[in-house]
């Protein structure tokens, strides 16, 4: 039923299409990812209390798909604003989140902030026939040629790629090397120092070399 309300003159209107097919595909992917990576729970993030038609559809599909995995993977729902608060206060309570694009974009940056910033946040864009792996922050062109950007995000994106193509052992070695260098905190970029003005911070290439050296030592 159409609302009798009138839209104020000078207003802008956005259209938000959400389909059954698209929702089913991403929710199923989340559950399959959980199974493949031994994750315990999938949380559907939405705003169905306000966006009743679009997010309501997404949530309805998520509930339906969850029934097929109920024995192996736990399922729960969270409204997006509450989800943001929960991630800040109790991130350990969550595992795999599945959400429409807008909320995922917001939550991914919030989550990156919880673990050290965009410089350490990898990204994966996985479709039915192809996959692209890149840092959450993108190409960061303003740092081009400055030897200053944190290489962790692109390297961890490579870890995701290795896992995707079935090279789990190589992925584990690379991930452990990154963790070791960050833990040592000697050859890391400025954003990983307690003081961002720390003169002992190194550049992109030196941190990458430290990670390579760690891999060689682990052979």
């Amino acid at each position: 039923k159409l609302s009798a309300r009138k839209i104020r003159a000078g207003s802008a209107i956005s259209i938000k299409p959400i389909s059954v097919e698209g929702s089913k595909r991403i929710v199923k992917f989340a559950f399959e990812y959980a199974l493949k990576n031994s994750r315990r729970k999938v949380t559907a993030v939405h705003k169905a209390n306000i966006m009743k038609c679009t997010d309501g559809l997404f949530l309805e599909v998520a509930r339906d798909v969850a029934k097929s995995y109920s024995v192996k993977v736990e399922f729960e729902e969270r409204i997006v604003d509450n989800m943001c608060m929960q991630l800040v206060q109790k991130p350990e309570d969550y595992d795999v989140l599945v959400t429409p694009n807008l909320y995922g974009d917001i939550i991914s940056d919030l989550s990156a902030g919880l673990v050290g910033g965009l410089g350490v946040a990898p990204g994966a864009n996985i479709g039915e026939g192809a996959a692209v792996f890149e840092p959450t922050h993108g190409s960061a062109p303003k740092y081009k040629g400055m030897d200053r950007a944190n290489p962790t995000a692109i390297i961890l994106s490579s870890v995701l790629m290795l896992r995707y193509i079935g090279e789990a052992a190589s992925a584990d070695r690379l991930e452990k090397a990154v963790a070791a260098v960050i833990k040592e905190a000697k050859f890391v970029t400025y954003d990983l120092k307690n003081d961002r003005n720390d003169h002992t911070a190194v550049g992109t290439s030196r941190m990458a070399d430290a990670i390579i050296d760690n891999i060689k030592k682990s052979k």
Side-chain angles (χ1 to χ4, degrees):
K1 183 178 178 179
L2 297 176
S3 171
R5 294 180 181 179
K6 292 185 178 180
I7 298 174
R8 180 181 299 173
S11 298
I13 299 173
S14 292
I15 297 176
K16 176 180 178 179
I18 290 185
S19 69
V20 171
E21 180 184 5
S23 298
K24 185 178 294 186
R25 186 171 61 203
I26 188 64
V27 174
K28 185 175 180 180
F29 180 91
F31 276 98
E32 290 295 328
Y33 180 91
L35 287 175
K36 184 178 179 180
N37 293 276
S38 301
R39 300 300 183 91
R40 59 186 173 83
K41 180 171 65 175
V42 170
T43 303
V45 185
H46 65 91
K47 192 66 176 173
N49 56 321
I50 302 298
M51 312 289 288
K52 299 183 186 296
C53 293
T54 48
D55 285 30
L57 174 63
F58 174 81
L59 184 56
E60 182 181 339
V61 170
R63 289 169 176 168
D64 187 56
V65 172
K67 294 175 184 177
S68 302
Y69 297 88
S70 59
V71 176
K72 297 180 180 179
V73 183
E74 182 182 348
F75 173 71
E76 66 178 9
E77 308 162 8
R78 288 288 182 272
I79 296 174
V80 63
D81 37 344
N82 179 47
M83 184 76 257
C84 291
M85 182 184 73
Q86 294 291 329
L87 284 175
V88 171
Q89 294 187 328
K90 298 180 290 184
E92 68 278 6
D93 288 352
Y94 299 91
D95 202 350
V96 177
L97 308 182
V98 59
T99 170
N101 184 65
L102 174 61
Y103 312 141
D105 195 18
I106 294 168
I107 288 174
S108 64
D109 276 25
L110 183 151
S111 300
L114 293 174
V115 298
L118 290 175
V120 299
N125 302 281
I126 300 175
E128 294 181 331
V132 176
F133 301 84
E134 62 179 349
T136 297
H137 60 61
S139 60
K142 70 177 182 179
Y143 291 115
K144 179 181 178 181
M146 297 175 64
D147 194 32
R148 189 166 182 260
N150 187 339
T152 303
I154 186 66
I155 294 174
L156 291 182
S157 295
S158 300
V159 170
L160 295 179
M161 182 187 70
L162 288 169
R163 296 198 193 287
Y164 178 77
I165 63 176
E167 294 289 341
S170 297
D172 289 343
R173 286 182 60 205
L174 182 53
E175 189 171 29
K176 288 178 181 178
V178 172
V181 170
I182 292 177
K183 182 178 181 180
E184 184 184 25
K186 184 177 180 181
F187 299 109
V188 295
T189 49
Y190 73 97
D191 56 313
L192 293 177
K193 292 289 188 178
N194 290 328
D195 178 0
R196 294 171 73 91
N197 295 313
D198 190 332
H199 71 280
T200 65
V202 300
T204 308
S205 57
R206 184 65 189 90
M207 183 173 175
D209 287 341
I211 294 170
I212 293 171
D213 291 341
N214 188 279
I215 294 174
K216 291 178 178 178
K217 292 176 183 178
S218 67
K219 285 185 177 180

